[in-house]
């Protein structure tokens, strides 16, 4: 298990940029592109996540479209395990299993390849940049379980605590940073 030092936490936290009223009025968008172009913050973050998960005996990291791909693919490579993309509907070429989830207005849908986790009873870490209402992550975790693998934990770089998104997820949840 790895704990984040106050100094390292500050390096990561300071590298996230708040964009008010994006994509619409009233939303404060947490922009993580300013972690990615900051080599000190990016490697501090990836080192922390790698340390946390190296003892979890994971078989795959599954990343949510699209920012989850960045952190997830790097982590999978560092842990020397496979990476699986969970994509928005219509992007994956082979046979898929899908899960709908509700948005503020209407619904969206995520998909995974039916054979994405070839190892039996695979232990999977789900990763995304941010958890807000938790709808996307809940659907993604349920997809992992639907195709026969086990979502052992969901990891986020940032969590909007006031939305209580973690409550609906059928797995342990870990967030590097918390915002009120
Ligand atoms: P949700 O399903 O409500 O938990 O939304 C999570 C997804 O929407 C993640 O893929 C995030 O990247 C994105 N998202 C939602 N709210 C924000 C926000 N305030 N800042 C940045 N990304 C967000």
């Amino acid at each position: 298990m790895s704990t984040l030092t106050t100094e390292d936490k500050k390096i990561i936290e300071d590298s996230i940029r708040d964009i008010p009223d994006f994509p619409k009025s009233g939303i404060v968008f947490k922009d993580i592109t300013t972690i990615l172009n900051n080599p000190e913050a990016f490697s501090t973050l990836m080192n922390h996540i790698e340390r946390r998960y190296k003892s979890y005996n994971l078989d795959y990291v599954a990343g949510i479209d699209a920012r989850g791909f960045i952190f997830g693919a790097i982590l999978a490579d560092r842990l020397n395990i496979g990476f699986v993309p969970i994509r928005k509907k219509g992007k994956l070429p082979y046979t898929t299993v899908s899960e709908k989830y509700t948005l503020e207005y209407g619904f969206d849908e995520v998909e995974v390849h039916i054979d994405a986790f070839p190892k039996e009873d695979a232990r999977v870490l789900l990763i995304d940049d941010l958890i807000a209402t938790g709808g996307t992550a809940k659907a993604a975790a349920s997809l992992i379980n639907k195709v026969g693998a086990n979502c052992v934990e969901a990891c986020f770089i940032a969590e909007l605590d006031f939305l209580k998104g973690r409550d609906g997820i059928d797995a342990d949840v870990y967030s590097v940073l918390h915002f009120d």
Side-chain angles (χ1 to χ4, degrees), residues 105-126:
Y105 301 103
F107 68 89
D108 213 337
E109 202 164 348
V110 281
E111 294 185 327
V112 71
H113 276 150
I114 196 162
D115 60 353
F117 305 101
K119 186 171 178 209
E120 209 173 319
D121 290 326
R123 288 172 57 79
V124 180
L125 175 74
L126 177 65

Side-chain angles (χ1 to χ4, degrees), residues 80-112:
N80 202 23
I81 59 178
F83 173 76
V84 171
I86 294 185
R87 299 220 60 182
K88 296 283 167 61
K89 190 175 173 58
K91 302 287 186 186
L92 289 170
Y94 186 59
T95 309
T96 58
V97 175
S98 64
E99 186 82 21
K100 280 187 184 167
Y101 58 99
T102 48
L103 300 170
E104 200 174 348
Y105 301 103
F107 68 89
D108 213 337
E109 202 164 348
V110 281
E111 294 185 327
V112 71

Side-chain angles (χ1 to χ4, degrees), residues 14-76:
D14 287 353
S15 74
I16 293 187
R17 174 166 64 176
D18 280 358
I19 312 287
D21 299 319
F22 182 88
K24 59 184 179 188
S25 178
I27 304 281
V28 179
F29 194 85
K30 298 282 177 195
D31 180 15
I32 56 87
T33 64
T34 41
I35 298 181
L36 306 179
N37 71 4
N38 176 333
E40 186 190 20
F42 198 10
S43 71
T44 300
L45 172 66
M46 292 313 307
N47 289 342
H48 167 62
I49 300 177
E50 178 187 3
R51 279 197 305 271
R52 177 178 175 85
Y53 289 109
K54 70 180 178 208
S55 59
Y56 267 60
N57 202 18
L58 296 168
D59 298 303
Y60 302 91
V61 177
I64 300 179
D65 199 345
R67 291 179 291 272
F69 295 173
I70 301 165
F71 305 104
I74 294 170
L75 179 64

